[in-house]
Amino acid sequence: MPDARWALIEPTLTAWRAARRGPGTAARVHDLREIVNAIRYVCRTGIAWEYLPHDFPPYKTVYDYYVKWEADGTTETLHDLLRQQVRVAKGRTTTSTAVIIDSQSVKTSCNVSESSQGIDAGQKIKGRKRHIATDVLRDQREQVVLLGGVEAVGELCR
C-alpha cells in the first residue's frame, strides 16, 4: 500500500485498535499495515484465507480483523475516506450530488429455493434482480440484490 494512502487510513485504524484495549484483551503483536496488506492480497488474488503467504500475519488474525472491520463499519469508513480523496483529486466535492441507477435481472439455477427468487414480469425471467448505483466518476455507491419483480429504487436512494 502506498505511503500516502496508508497515511490517510492509519489514524482511523489506530483509533479503532486503541478503543479495544483493556482488561481481557491480548497484546497487539502484528502491525496494522501488514494486516491491511494481507486483506488486500486476499481480495486481489481471490485465494482462501488459509493460503495466505507466510510473509503476512497468521490468516486467523487477518480474518478476525477483516470480520470485525466489516461488522462495525470500519471498512465503509475507510472506503469513504479514500473515495473523498479521489473526488477531491478529480476537482469534485467530497460527496456526490447525482447517481446513476441501473438494474439487471439474473436467472437462477433450478437448485435455488423458491423463497429466494421471484419473477420479473417485464423481462420474463425467474430469478433475482440486482441494482447498482454509481456516481459520475463511476464509483460504486450501493449494490442491492433482491427477488425478481421487487423494485429497489427506494433502497438505493436512502
Side-chain angles (χ1 to χ4, degrees), residues 98-102 131-134 141-144 151-158:
V99 294
I100 302 160
I101 300 174
D102 194 13
H131 304 265
I132 189 169
T134 62
R141 303 297 297 173
E142 191 73 36
Q143 181 173 354
V144 178
E151 294 301 319
V153 174
E155 179 71 22
L156 289 172
C157 295
R158 61 181 161 86

Side-chain angles (χ1 to χ4, degrees), residues 93-147:
T93 61
T94 56
T95 58
S96 37
T97 56
V99 294
I100 302 160
I101 300 174
D102 194 13
S103 66
Q104 179 182 25
S105 296
V106 182
K107 291 182 182 178
T108 53
S109 163
C110 60
N111 298 332
V112 176
S113 67
E114 291 287 326
S115 63
S116 68
Q117 58 185 342
I119 297 175
D120 183 359
Q123 299 289 327
K124 297 183 176 79
I125 291 178
K126 184 176 185 177
R128 295 189 180 114
K129 198 166 188 179
R130 59 182 170 206
H131 304 265
I132 189 169
T134 62
D135 67 7
V136 293
L137 295 177
R138 296 185 187 148
D139 180 35
Q140 182 175 329
R141 303 297 297 173
E142 191 73 36
Q143 181 173 354
V144 178
V145 178
L146 299 170
L147 305 180

Side-chain angles (χ1 to χ4, degrees), residues 9-84:
I9 67 172
E10 189 264 337
T12 303
L13 295 179
T14 303
W16 180 89
R17 183 182 260 182
R20 278 141 191 86
R21 287 197 177 137
T25 58
R28 305 308 195 257
V29 177
H30 304 289
D31 183 35
L32 285 172
R33 188 170 185 169
E34 285 302 309
I35 291 171
V36 171
N37 286 336
I39 292 170
R40 292 179 71 230
Y41 183 84
V42 169
C43 291
R44 189 175 334 114
T45 61
I47 64 168
W49 292 99
E50 295 84 12
Y51 300 123
L52 194 62
H54 296 289
D55 300 345
F56 294 113
Y59 79 89
K60 289 183 179 182
T61 302
V62 175
Y63 181 74
D64 185 56
Y65 274 87
Y66 172 76
V67 168
K68 287 177 181 173
W69 289 344
E70 282 290 315
D72 70 5
T74 301
T75 306
E76 189 67 30
T77 302
L78 298 178
H79 284 201
D80 290 343
L81 287 171
L82 295 171
R83 186 181 303 118
Q84 289 170 3

